[in-house]
Short mmCIF file of all heavy atoms in Angstrom, two decimals:
data_model
loop_
_atom_site.label_atom_id
_atom_site.label_comp_id
_atom_site.label_asym_id
_atom_site.label_seq_id
_atom_site.Cartn_x
_atom_site.Cartn_y
_atom_site.Cartn_z
N ARG A 44 85.12 90.42 119.67
CA ARG A 44 85.00 91.28 118.53
C ARG A 44 85.82 90.90 117.36
O ARG A 44 85.42 91.35 116.15
CB ARG A 44 85.47 92.64 119.02
CG ARG A 44 84.50 93.17 120.26
CD ARG A 44 84.99 94.63 120.61
NE ARG A 44 84.08 95.08 121.76
CZ ARG A 44 82.95 95.85 121.44
NH1 ARG A 44 82.58 96.15 120.20
NH2 ARG A 44 82.32 96.21 122.58
N LEU A 45 86.84 90.12 117.52
CA LEU A 45 87.59 89.77 116.32
C LEU A 45 87.43 88.30 115.82
O LEU A 45 88.35 87.70 115.21
CB LEU A 45 89.09 90.03 116.51
CG LEU A 45 89.46 91.55 116.88
CD1 LEU A 45 90.97 91.59 117.03
CD2 LEU A 45 89.03 92.44 115.76
N SER A 46 86.41 87.71 116.42
CA SER A 46 86.19 86.22 116.26
C SER A 46 86.10 85.79 114.76
O SER A 46 86.65 84.79 114.43
CB SER A 46 84.91 85.82 116.89
OG SER A 46 83.79 86.43 116.45
N ARG A 47 85.59 86.62 113.90
CA ARG A 47 85.50 86.22 112.52
C ARG A 47 86.79 86.35 111.86
O ARG A 47 86.80 85.64 110.74
CB ARG A 47 84.39 87.15 111.76
CG ARG A 47 83.02 87.10 112.35
CD ARG A 47 82.11 88.11 111.58
NE ARG A 47 80.77 88.32 112.01
CZ ARG A 47 80.39 89.03 112.96
NH1 ARG A 47 81.29 90.02 113.29
NH2 ARG A 47 79.03 89.11 113.31
N ILE A 48 87.71 86.96 112.30
CA ILE A 48 88.99 87.10 111.58
C ILE A 48 90.21 86.49 112.32
O ILE A 48 91.41 86.68 112.08
CB ILE A 48 89.36 88.50 111.23
CG1 ILE A 48 89.37 89.58 112.36
CG2 ILE A 48 88.33 89.11 110.10
CD1 ILE A 48 89.85 90.97 112.19
N GLN A 49 89.93 85.65 113.44
CA GLN A 49 90.97 85.06 114.12
C GLN A 49 91.93 84.34 113.24
O GLN A 49 93.09 84.35 113.44
CB GLN A 49 90.25 84.19 115.22
CG GLN A 49 89.71 84.87 116.44
CD GLN A 49 90.80 85.36 117.36
OE1 GLN A 49 91.93 84.90 117.39
NE2 GLN A 49 90.37 86.44 118.24
N HIS A 50 91.31 83.59 112.32
CA HIS A 50 92.23 82.77 111.46
C HIS A 50 93.01 83.64 110.45
O HIS A 50 94.04 83.02 109.90
CB HIS A 50 91.38 81.78 110.59
CG HIS A 50 90.42 82.46 109.71
ND1 HIS A 50 89.33 83.30 110.17
CD2 HIS A 50 90.31 82.39 108.37
CE1 HIS A 50 88.67 83.68 109.15
NE2 HIS A 50 89.13 83.14 107.98
N LEU A 51 92.80 84.83 110.38
CA LEU A 51 93.48 85.75 109.44
C LEU A 51 94.51 86.62 110.10
O LEU A 51 95.44 87.24 109.46
CB LEU A 51 92.51 86.58 108.63
CG LEU A 51 91.30 86.04 107.84
CD1 LEU A 51 90.45 87.03 107.21
CD2 LEU A 51 91.93 85.12 106.70
N LEU A 52 94.46 86.64 111.46
CA LEU A 52 95.37 87.59 112.10
C LEU A 52 96.76 87.46 111.78
O LEU A 52 97.52 88.47 111.76
CB LEU A 52 95.12 87.46 113.65
CG LEU A 52 93.71 87.90 114.06
CD1 LEU A 52 93.54 87.79 115.69
CD2 LEU A 52 93.45 89.27 113.71
N PRO A 53 97.41 86.24 111.62
CA PRO A 53 98.78 86.25 111.22
C PRO A 53 99.14 86.94 109.82
O PRO A 53 100.35 87.18 109.52
CB PRO A 53 99.10 84.72 111.12
CG PRO A 53 98.09 84.14 112.07
CD PRO A 53 96.86 84.90 111.76
N ASP A 54 98.14 87.12 108.92
CA ASP A 54 98.29 87.63 107.64
C ASP A 54 97.85 89.15 107.32
O ASP A 54 98.03 89.54 106.31
CB ASP A 54 97.61 86.56 106.73
CG ASP A 54 98.20 85.21 106.86
OD1 ASP A 54 99.35 84.93 106.89
OD2 ASP A 54 97.40 84.22 106.89
N ILE A 55 97.21 89.59 108.30
CA ILE A 55 96.61 91.06 108.14
C ILE A 55 97.32 91.90 109.13
O ILE A 55 97.91 91.54 110.13
CB ILE A 55 95.18 91.09 108.09
CG1 ILE A 55 94.66 90.68 109.47
CG2 ILE A 55 94.52 90.10 107.06
CD1 ILE A 55 93.21 90.65 109.72
N GLN A 56 97.19 93.14 108.90
CA GLN A 56 97.68 94.21 109.74
C GLN A 56 96.50 95.02 110.32
O GLN A 56 95.80 95.61 109.44
CB GLN A 56 98.87 95.00 109.18
CG GLN A 56 99.91 94.34 108.73
CD GLN A 56 101.10 95.21 108.07
OE1 GLN A 56 101.38 96.24 108.58
NE2 GLN A 56 101.59 94.77 106.87
N LEU A 57 96.42 95.20 111.51
CA LEU A 57 95.23 95.97 112.09
C LEU A 57 95.79 97.25 112.76
O LEU A 57 96.84 97.34 113.25
CB LEU A 57 94.63 95.17 113.27
CG LEU A 57 93.92 93.81 112.90
CD1 LEU A 57 93.16 93.22 114.09
CD2 LEU A 57 92.91 93.94 111.67
N HIS A 58 94.98 98.22 112.62
CA HIS A 58 95.23 99.58 113.04
C HIS A 58 94.13 100.17 113.91
O HIS A 58 93.01 100.07 113.42
CB HIS A 58 95.55 100.58 111.81
CG HIS A 58 96.59 100.13 110.90
ND1 HIS A 58 97.82 100.50 110.82
CD2 HIS A 58 96.44 99.16 109.96
CE1 HIS A 58 98.51 99.87 109.91
NE2 HIS A 58 97.69 99.02 109.26
N GLY A 59 94.51 100.81 114.92
CA GLY A 59 93.39 101.44 115.83
C GLY A 59 93.15 102.92 115.36
O GLY A 59 94.16 103.72 115.20
N ALA A 60 91.92 103.15 114.99
CA ALA A 60 91.57 104.57 114.53
C ALA A 60 90.00 104.60 114.78
O ALA A 60 89.35 103.64 114.95
CB ALA A 60 92.09 104.78 113.13
N SER A 61 89.52 105.76 114.61
CA SER A 61 88.18 106.15 114.77
C SER A 61 87.59 106.87 113.61
O SER A 61 88.22 107.93 113.14
CB SER A 61 87.83 106.85 116.00
OG SER A 61 86.56 107.28 116.06
N LEU A 62 86.41 106.45 113.10
CA LEU A 62 85.79 107.21 112.01
C LEU A 62 85.35 108.55 112.47
O LEU A 62 85.02 109.42 111.58
CB LEU A 62 84.59 106.28 111.46
CG LEU A 62 84.85 105.15 110.63
CD1 LEU A 62 83.70 104.39 110.40
CD2 LEU A 62 85.47 105.55 109.35
#
Side-chain angles (χ1 to χ4, degrees):
R44 295 181 181 273
L45 301 183
S46 60
R47 297 181 184 91
I48 57 171
Q49 285 283 341
H50 62 297
L51 301 178
L52 293 178
D54 301 313
I55 63 178
Q56 298 180 50
L57 299 183
H58 305 259
S61 170
L62 286 171

